[in-house]
């Protein structure tokens, strides 16, 4: 799994190193409520996970997926959350109109006391705060004002303009920018050498191209630590070729699974087709008429999606 290669503590960051250096000035006693914001896939969650490790001086945080039922009006709502010895983590936006009730019934219950085992703050991580409605945001602000002695909140947002100003005023806001291309090149070269990935310059340039990674560090890391090595085993271009020349069910099923995996990692179907078109043009595998036929078929499929 590519996550095995990612930074294990806050000292190992190459990307966003200037931000992690500032976070190292924080400790349990001077910790504010924090809001990390930036586009999807810029690395907010990974920075937060390593900040928690740093604050509690641990190399490993064992998390458990938990669920509990709460009654809202006449409905039983199942709340899914992540719990460790150090924090709780929840996606409020998943609960739609119930987000305010999750705050008053579930989160309030958690933070009404300090951690019994060590008398420390309870840390609550809430993702995509910009996707919950304004009433829920203002409810969270009141909860923060009432229970700051017992807890600290760490929240994330993609669009900070959608966060109510009254709530923003309670947080230290930290922007996580998407790295520039020169930083991505340095990052890829460093890991290529460190883990002996044996990627050439052309492959690295492909990984850091915006068409290919769709401005998402998850895509870049997946390509860097898995996809390109996996291409040598799976050889997606060869499978494309065989499907076009011989439409067997076996190849279709395997290719469908692989493309679906890439799509879950935020690769667009267009970027996958572009990758294959670069291959066939460089190989002179098909005539111009055949390439036009492939493009037309790809356009037809994209339109149907």
């Amino acid at each position: 799994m590519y996550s095995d290669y990612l930074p294990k503590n806050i000292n190992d960051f190459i990307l966003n190193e200037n931000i992690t250096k500032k976070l190292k000035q924080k400790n349990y006693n001077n910790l504010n409520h924090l809001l990390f914001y930036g586009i999807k896939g810029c690395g907010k969650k990974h920075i937060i996970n390593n900040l928690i490790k740093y604050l509690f001086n641990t190399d490993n945080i064992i998390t458990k997926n938990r669920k509990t039922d709460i009654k809202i009006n006449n409905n039983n709502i199942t709340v899914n959350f992540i719990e460790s010895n150090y924090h709780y983590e929840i996606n409020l936006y998943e609960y739609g109109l119930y987000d305010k009730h999750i705050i008053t019934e579930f989160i309030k219950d958690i933070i009404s006391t300090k951690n019994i085992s060590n008398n420390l703050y309870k840390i609550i991580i809430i993702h995509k705060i910009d996707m919950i409605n304004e009433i829920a945001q203002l409810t969270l602000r009141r909860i923060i004002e009432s229970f700051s002695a017992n807890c600290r909140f760490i929240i994330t947002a993609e669009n900070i303009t959608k966060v109510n100003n009254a709530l923003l005023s309670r947080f230290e806001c930290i922007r996580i920018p998407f790295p520039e291309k020169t930083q991505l090149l340095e990052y890829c070269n460093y890991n290529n050498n460190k883990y002996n990935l044996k990627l050439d310059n052309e492959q690295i340039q492909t990984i850091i191209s915006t068409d290919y990674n769709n401005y998402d560090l998850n895509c870049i890391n997946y390509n860097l630590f898995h996809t390109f090595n996996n291409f040598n085993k799976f050889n997606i271009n060869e499978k494309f070729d065989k499907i076009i020349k011989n439409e067997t069910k076996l190849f279709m099923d395997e290719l469908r699974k692989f493309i679906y995996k890439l799509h879950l990692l935020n690769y667009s179907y267009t970027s996958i087709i572009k990758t294959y078109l670069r291959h066939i043009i460089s190989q002179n595998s098909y005539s111009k008429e055949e390439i036009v036929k492939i493009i037309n078929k790809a356009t037809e499929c994209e339109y149907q999606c």
Side-chain angles (χ1 to χ4, degrees):
M1 186 63 181
Y2 76 79
S3 57
D4 295 336
Y5 299 96
L6 299 182
K8 299 297 188 296
N9 64 68
I10 208 166
N11 296 309
D12 293 340
F13 277 76
I14 298 174
L15 299 177
N16 294 314
E17 185 180 9
N18 59 327
I19 294 172
T20 55
K21 282 182 178 179
K22 291 180 180 179
L23 292 176
K24 286 171 63 177
Q25 299 174 11
K26 299 188 177 298
N27 57 55
Y28 174 79
N29 295 315
N30 69 8
L31 184 64
N32 302 321
H33 302 294
L34 301 175
L35 187 158
F36 292 87
Y37 68 99
I39 64 172
K40 179 181 179 183
C42 66
K44 299 184 291 293
K45 286 185 180 180
H46 196 61
I47 288 176
I48 291 172
N49 289 338
N50 282 280
L51 173 61
I52 299 297
K53 290 184 193 176
Y54 178 77
L55 291 173
F56 292 97
N57 193 27
T58 179
D59 293 328
N60 187 32
I61 296 178
I62 299 174
T63 60
K64 297 178 181 178
N65 292 317
R66 301 282 302 276
K67 61 176 60 177
T68 187
D69 292 328
I70 63 174
K71 192 165 185 177
I72 301 175
N73 299 325
N74 292 322
N75 300 315
N76 287 321
I77 304 300
T78 299
V79 180
N80 298 291
F81 62 100
I82 295 173
E83 181 183 7
S84 75
N85 289 336
Y86 310 101
H87 78 291
Y88 297 83
E89 190 170 351
I90 187 171
N91 296 324
L92 269 184
Y93 68 93
E94 295 179 352
Y95 300 95
L97 297 175
Y98 295 116
D99 48 11
K100 172 187 173 182
H101 301 280
I102 302 297
I103 295 171
T104 56
E105 301 294 331
F106 174 68
I107 294 179
K108 181 179 178 181
D109 183 63
I110 291 175
I111 64 177
S112 58
T113 59
K114 283 191 174 182
N115 195 318
I116 298 176
S117 61
N118 49 28
N119 200 35
L120 297 177
Y121 293 129
K122 290 180 178 177
I123 293 182
I124 312 295
I125 300 172
I126 302 176
H127 294 297
K128 297 186 179 180
I129 201 71
D130 50 327
M131 294 182 65
I132 70 173
N133 64 62
E134 188 169 8
I135 294 176
Q137 292 184 25
L138 293 176
T139 301
L140 180 60
R141 184 203 66 174
R142 289 193 293 272
I143 292 290
I144 291 172
E145 291 173 345
S146 301
F147 295 96
S148 282
N150 296 338
C151 66
R152 288 294 181 268
F153 280 88
I154 299 176
I155 63 179
T156 69
E158 292 179 24
N159 187 349
I160 196 173
T161 63
K162 293 184 178 180
V163 182
N164 184 276
N165 287 331
L167 179 61
L168 278 179
S169 66
R170 302 299 184 271
F171 284 83
E172 177 183 346
C173 299
I174 301 172
R175 178 176 175 266
I176 310 296
F178 191 82
E180 297 179 359
K181 201 165 186 177
T182 53
Q183 295 173 310
L184 292 175
L185 180 60
E186 179 185 355
Y187 173 75
C188 290
N189 284 328
Y190 172 83
N191 285 291
N192 189 31
N193 295 327
K194 180 177 180 179
Y195 296 107
N196 194 26
L197 301 177
K198 299 179 180 179
L199 300 177
D200 58 36
N201 290 332
E202 183 179 352
Q203 289 174 315
I204 290 178
Q205 287 296 332
T206 301
I207 289 172
I208 66 177
S209 69
T210 53
D211 283 345
Y212 204 79
N213 65 57
N214 199 27
Y215 289 102
D216 193 318
L217 285 181
N218 289 322
C219 294
I220 289 175
N221 285 317
Y222 189 84
N223 274 312
L224 182 62
F225 298 115
H226 176 73
T227 300
F228 272 93
N229 289 320
N230 195 49
F231 276 177
N232 295 330
K233 301 173 185 177
F234 190 94
N235 203 334
I236 187 171
N237 290 323
E238 179 181 334
K239 289 191 179 294
F240 264 120
D241 291 339
K242 288 183 178 179
I243 289 168
I244 291 173
K245 295 174 182 176
N246 180 17
E247 296 183 358
T248 63
K249 186 177 185 300
L250 173 63
F251 288 119
M252 286 297 293
D253 286 347
E254 290 183 2
L255 184 65
R256 186 180 294 110
K257 290 176 183 177
F258 190 81
I259 292 179
Y260 182 64
K261 180 189 291 186
L262 293 179
H263 192 57
L264 289 177
L265 289 165
N266 298 319
Y267 292 92
S268 67
Y269 293 122
T270 303
S271 66
I272 298 171
I273 293 297
K274 280 183 179 178
T275 302
Y276 177 62
L277 287 176
R278 291 191 191 102
H279 160 69
I280 61 176
I281 291 172
S282 66
Q283 298 295 319
N284 293 318
S285 304
Y286 299 97
S287 66
K288 289 183 179 179
E289 291 76 13
E290 288 174 318
I291 292 176
V292 170
K293 182 180 178 181
I294 293 170
I295 293 174
N296 289 337
K297 188 64 178 176
T299 304
E300 180 185 335
C301 291
E302 185 177 32
Y303 177 77
Q304 290 173 351
C305 292

